[in-house]
Amino acid sequence: MKDNFDDCLKMLLKHEGGYVNHPKDPGGETNLGVTRKVWEQWIGKPAGKDAMKKLTVEDVAPLYKKLYWDRVRGDELPSGVDWAVFDWAVNSGTGRAAKALQRIAGVDADGAVGAATVAAVKKMDAKIVIKKMAIMRENFYRNLNTFATFGRGWLRRNEETLETALSMVSRKTMLSKIASALG
């Protein structure tokens, strides 16, 4: 939903945390959820450890908007669905999150959210889409060879994303009913 990016970014950054360089993390050195590789591609030059440690929300927000939110067409997805897709896109790649959404919506799973995907999702019950995304995400995590190291955190993140996404749908529904009653 168009108005949700800022709130979704805040929630995302809570999940992602600050600077880490865990030896078992295939993403490697990361700050605010942005890997060194992605940051270097974004800025078009190498970034050292000090530069990675100094990243700010202001630095990474445009990256998250363009490379993740816009790629999954967050502005066009229903409230709650946008958050579920965005969080998984950041955590596991836009292609993976997009393909899951497309499979749920019954459209060609090409990994690029387009008009057909958005239209199909909008015809569905957002809560069902969100719940199916959470199930697919958990199954994906459980099959990773790093699950023993990171699995508990991933499952907690998935559960928090599920709960928040469902509450976003409920809040949107409630506001729509109030507006209808007043209008």
Side-chain angles (χ1 to χ4, degrees):
M1 182 171 183
K2 192 168 188 163
D3 298 333
N4 284 353
F5 175 73
D6 290 338
D7 290 338
C8 288
L9 179 63
K10 287 176 191 168
M11 294 184 292
L12 175 82
L13 293 172
K14 181 183 170 207
H15 281 168
E16 292 294 347
Y19 179 83
V20 292
N21 192 9
H22 194 287
K24 291 188 178 180
D25 186 347
E29 190 175 9
T30 305
N31 194 3
L32 300 172
V34 178
T35 65
R36 178 186 252 180
K37 180 181 176 185
V38 168
W39 183 248
E40 289 174 343
Q41 289 172 343
W42 178 254
I43 63 172
K45 62 182 181 183
K49 188 175 194 171
D50 288 340
M52 287 300 297
K53 285 185 172 185
K54 291 179 184 176
L55 288 179
T56 66
V57 173
E58 292 75 23
D59 293 330
V60 301
L63 177 150
Y64 278 125
K65 176 76 167 76
K66 184 172 182 177
L67 298 185
Y68 297 92
W69 183 263
D70 290 349
R71 282 192 186 162
V72 298
R73 295 177 76 155
D75 284 347
E76 299 172 57
L77 294 174
S79 188
V81 174
D82 54 359
W83 167 232
V85 175
F86 176 58
D87 189 61
W88 195 11
V90 170
N91 189 237
S92 302
T94 56
R96 183 173 321 285
K99 285 179 182 178
L101 181 65
Q102 290 167 326
R103 286 183 186 109
I104 292 165
V107 298
D108 183 38
D110 63 5
V113 176
T117 303
V118 172
V121 170
K122 284 182 174 182
K123 291 177 184 173
M124 299 179 70
D125 181 329
K127 288 185 176 185
I128 291 172
V129 173
I130 292 164
K131 289 174 184 177
K132 286 182 177 184
M133 286 283 295
I135 291 166
M136 293 172 85
R137 188 173 177 177
E138 180 172 337
N139 290 338
F140 168 72
Y141 288 147
R142 288 187 181 280
N143 286 304
L144 292 174
N145 61 6
T146 51
F147 185 79
T149 303
F150 300 111
R152 244 172 81 196
W154 289 334
L155 294 182
R156 185 187 82 261
R157 177 179 181 154
N158 189 37
E159 186 64 30
E160 288 173 4
T161 300
L162 170 65
E163 290 171 7
T164 305
L166 291 173
S167 74
M168 290 169 74
V169 173
S170 297
R171 184 172 62 234
K172 176 77 174 155
T173 302
M174 180 186 68
L175 292 175
S176 293
K177 287 180 181 179
I178 291 170
S180 293
L182 296 174

